[in-house]
Amino acid sequence: MPFREALKGIVESVEGGLGAVIMGYDGIAIEQYHRDDTGMDLNLMAVEYATVIKEVKRTVEVLDTGEMEEVSVNTGQTRIIVRAINDDLFLLLTLHHDGNYGKGRYLLRRAAPEFRVTLS
Amino acid sequence: MPFREALKGIVESVEGGLGAVIMGYDGIAIEQYHRDDTGMDLNLMAVEYATVIKEVKRTVEVLDTGEMEEVSVNTGQTRIIVRAINDDLFLLLTLHHDGNYGKGRYLLRRAAPEFRVTLS
């Protein structure tokens, strides 16, 4: 499936890439690609973060400072980068804490408009 | 007051800096410095984002992937960068959308341990 190939391409192009998912704000994944050897439940992570991202989106709308574009959360072990695709869907990339954050941001910024066109 | 001076130093050292605040996860500010000419209610923004940051912290604890270190949210008009100080407090910097995000991240990463020592 082309979405899965695109997600795999992103994960494997970035140092420390663990997984990527196209997900709705309702926490339901459209497509995902996770490396097998991460030792983490990346599916659970995506679902849990979906709840947070939905809350961020709500806050951004209340504050009226433009559309939500990107959210990132760095913890002791992981970095997640979220890029909005459209009003229903977002792209979430999970990296190791020492993964290439700048490249991950760049790849999502580049991929989001392509997904937007294909998914609309 | 030294905290306010430190916050002012951060805001004025970064291109596009609008304001900075030391805040509790309960949404109550300890100290803040906002530029006067922003045309934005930076106080309201900090309070609204405090609710989100508290939710991020809860999610990170559930997922058990290490402590929450940094959160950022980019919208059409602004960027916010949050750095955890300790279990009760965080540092929030607001930038223009085209502000220097990398420098903002660097200044918070450098300042947080100093605030941690002073506030403990």
Side-chain angles (χ1 to χ4, degrees):
Chain A
M1 173 159 184
F3 290 147
R4 188 177 151 84
E5 285 308 304
L7 295 175
K8 183 177 175 183
I10 292 170
V11 172
E12 298 195 343
S13 301
V14 57
E15 298 82 352
L18 300 173
V21 55
I22 300 171
M23 184 166 257
Y25 290 100
D26 54 6
I28 297 173
I30 302 285
E31 192 52 273
Q32 53 196 307
Y33 171 78
H34 294 153
R35 290 181 49 158
D36 295 330
D37 54 349
T38 65
M40 293 181 188
D41 188 341
L42 295 171
N43 197 38
L44 174 69
M45 279 184 70
V47 172
E48 287 287 338
Y49 275 116
T51 309
V52 171
I53 300 307
K54 189 176 175 182
E55 181 70 13
V56 173
K57 191 170 189 287
R58 193 201 59 79
T59 299
V60 168
E61 284 165 3
V62 167
L63 292 170
D64 196 20
T65 57
E67 298 274 303
M68 184 186 87
E69 295 178 352
E70 187 192 86
V71 180
S72 69
V73 178
N74 299 347
T75 73
Q77 292 169 33
T78 59
R79 293 169 182 265
I80 67 124
I81 310 170
V82 170
R83 189 92 197 170
I85 295 175
N86 58 30
D87 221 33
D88 300 315
L89 300 170
F90 61 86
L91 194 51
L92 185 150
L93 174 66
T94 310
L95 304 175
H96 265 300
H97 180 259
D98 56 357
N100 191 332
Y101 175 63
K103 190 166 181 186
R105 289 183 69 214
Y106 166 73
L107 291 174
L108 292 202
R109 194 162 60 238
R110 199 180 61 171
E114 296 168 17
F115 284 124
R116 190 177 304 131
V117 171
T118 318
L119 288 161
S120 64
Chain B
M1 173 159 181
F3 290 146
R4 188 176 151 83
E5 285 308 305
L7 295 175
K8 184 178 176 183
I10 292 170
V11 172
E12 298 195 342
S13 300
V14 56
E15 297 81 352
L18 299 173
V21 55
I22 299 171
M23 184 165 258
Y25 290 99
D26 55 6
I28 297 173
I30 301 284
E31 191 55 272
Q32 53 197 305
Y33 171 78
H34 295 152
R35 289 180 49 156
D36 294 331
D37 54 350
T38 64
M40 292 181 189
D41 188 341
L42 295 171
N43 196 40
L44 173 68
M45 278 183 69
V47 172
E48 287 286 339
Y49 275 116
T51 308
V52 172
I53 300 307
K54 190 176 174 181
E55 182 68 14
V56 173
K57 191 169 189 289
R58 191 201 61 78
T59 299
V60 168
E61 284 166 2
V62 167
L63 291 170
D64 196 20
T65 57
E67 298 274 304
M68 185 186 85
E69 294 178 353
E70 187 193 85
V71 180
S72 70
V73 179
N74 298 348
T75 74
Q77 293 169 32
T78 59
R79 293 170 183 264
I80 67 124
I81 310 170
V82 169
R83 189 93 199 170
I85 295 176
N86 58 31
D87 220 34
D88 300 314
L89 300 170
F90 61 86
L91 193 51
L92 185 151
L93 174 66
T94 310
L95 304 175
H96 265 301
H97 180 259
D98 56 356
N100 191 333
Y101 176 61
K103 190 167 180 183
R105 288 184 69 212
Y106 166 73
L107 292 173
L108 291 203
R109 196 163 58 236
R110 199 181 60 173
E114 295 167 18
F115 284 125
R116 190 177 304 133
V117 170
T118 319
L119 288 161
S120 64

